[in-house]
Amino acid sequence: MTYPRSDGGPLLALDTVSLDVPPASFCSIVGPSGCGKSTLLMLVAGLYSATAGRVVINNQVVRGPWTDIGIVFQRDVLLEWRDVLDNVLLPIEVKRLSRTAYRERARGLLDLVGLAGFASAYPEQLSGGMRQRVAICRALVHDPPLLLMDEPFGALDALTRENLNLDLLRLNAETLKTTIFVTHNIDEAVLMSDQVVVLSARPGRVRRVFEIDLPQPRGVGTREHPRFALLVNEIRAEFHSMGII
């Protein structure tokens, strides 16, 4: 992926990235700031067009915005004038599907993330973590097979972030989505993932793919597993070798 620079020259953001994400797996992308992690997600979503190469989802080449996905951004981008339930149902309206048919699914997702009593609340009445839970429900309400998450917990405090990690683990076990998750947090990536992809500094290239063989299901105690510390240290060593840490 190449961007035009302000001086008229090209800026190579991603270079010869090759990656396979198996169905119903959780893949985390880690790398230094500016290495193209978010760009990679936008290419998968079809919101950006690659300068060269292609993205393939379920044997179909992505040639424009891919509608059968859910996206969670760094900010929750909730609509302040809509209550929680109406925010979750927004993709249903955009897709011109039946609100009635999806209302119970929306309520069920809110229940899964501990927000069953907040369907009628407005975003300003919610904490940051609660707002992000609503954003996750909104991304899942139309039951997409692919979920893209761009540092969704980066702005949250450590305790809220850990709780949302556990919520997402539970949601993933319930829904079996294919998930691509961008994060700067190595511990988070290891806890959540089936594979962790380390990108190099710009231009981003796949430096190494770590298969995360920790036992399932995972939870609070997973960090105490000897293999967890080993994997975290191996990934951190990749950043050491790049001179990032």
Side-chain angles (χ1 to χ4, degrees):
M1 180 65 183
T2 300
Y3 293 105
R5 299 171 66 107
S6 57
D7 61 8
L11 174 66
L12 184 60
L14 293 168
D15 187 26
T16 58
V17 171
S18 182
L19 177 65
D20 291 317
V21 180
S25 68
F26 196 109
C27 173
S28 285
I29 311 290
V30 298
S33 294
C35 72
K37 300 185 296 296
S38 296
T39 295
L40 183 56
L41 278 195
M42 295 302 100
L43 289 169
V44 173
L47 299 177
Y48 294 173
S49 297
T51 311
R54 61 181 187 161
V55 175
V56 180
I57 301 176
N58 287 341
N59 299 315
Q60 298 181 60
V61 177
V62 176
R63 303 189 188 280
W66 195 263
T67 58
D68 207 9
I69 60 172
I71 304 180
V72 183
F73 297 101
Q74 295 176 34
R75 296 180 57 197
D76 57 72
V77 291
L78 300 182
L79 301 182
E80 301 293 335
W81 59 90
R82 297 176 68 116
D83 65 24
V84 164
L85 185 61
D86 280 346
N87 264 289
V88 173
L89 288 169
L90 181 61
I92 303 306
E93 295 178 20
V94 171
K95 291 174 175 291
R96 293 186 171 86
L97 301 174
S98 168
R99 279 176 55 94
T100 302
Y102 282 88
R103 187 175 285 114
E104 285 310 306
R105 174 171 172 79
R107 291 186 181 276
L109 287 168
L110 290 170
D111 188 32
L112 270 177
V113 298
L115 293 177
F118 291 87
S120 299
Y122 285 85
E124 66 177 10
Q125 299 171 300
L126 307 179
S127 69
M130 294 165 76
R131 292 175 66 111
Q132 205 64 345
R133 287 184 175 97
V134 175
I136 292 170
C137 292
R138 181 181 57 194
L140 293 173
V141 69
H142 57 295
D143 200 21
L146 177 60
L147 181 63
L148 305 179
M149 308 187 78
D150 188 5
E151 294 189 67
F153 310 142
L156 303 175
D157 64 86
L159 185 58
T160 301
R161 186 173 190 149
E162 183 156 345
N163 284 330
L164 281 173
N165 286 164
L166 298 176
D167 283 342
L168 187 54
L169 281 170
R170 186 173 64 254
L171 276 170
N172 209 47
E174 293 266 352
T175 60
L176 297 177
K177 302 299 179 191
T178 306
T179 305
I180 304 178
F181 183 88
V182 167
T183 180
H184 279 106
N185 190 302
I186 296 172
D187 287 48
E188 180 177 72
V190 172
L191 175 67
M192 308 293 293
S193 305
D194 298 301
Q195 61 176 346
V196 175
V197 178
V198 179
L199 293 185
S200 67
R202 191 176 63 239
R205 300 183 177 93
V206 176
R207 185 177 176 91
R208 188 171 172 187
V209 177
F210 289 85
E211 300 300 328
I212 308 300
D213 52 2
L214 291 166
Q216 299 278 7
R218 297 178 194 165
V220 175
T222 299
R223 287 187 171 90
E224 305 303 319
H225 196 286
R227 181 71 177 149
F228 181 88
L230 181 62
L231 287 163
V232 168
N233 288 336
E234 286 184 0
I235 295 172
R236 187 169 284 119
E238 285 295 314
F239 286 87
H240 277 287
S241 65
M242 286 189 280
I244 304 301
I245 300 177

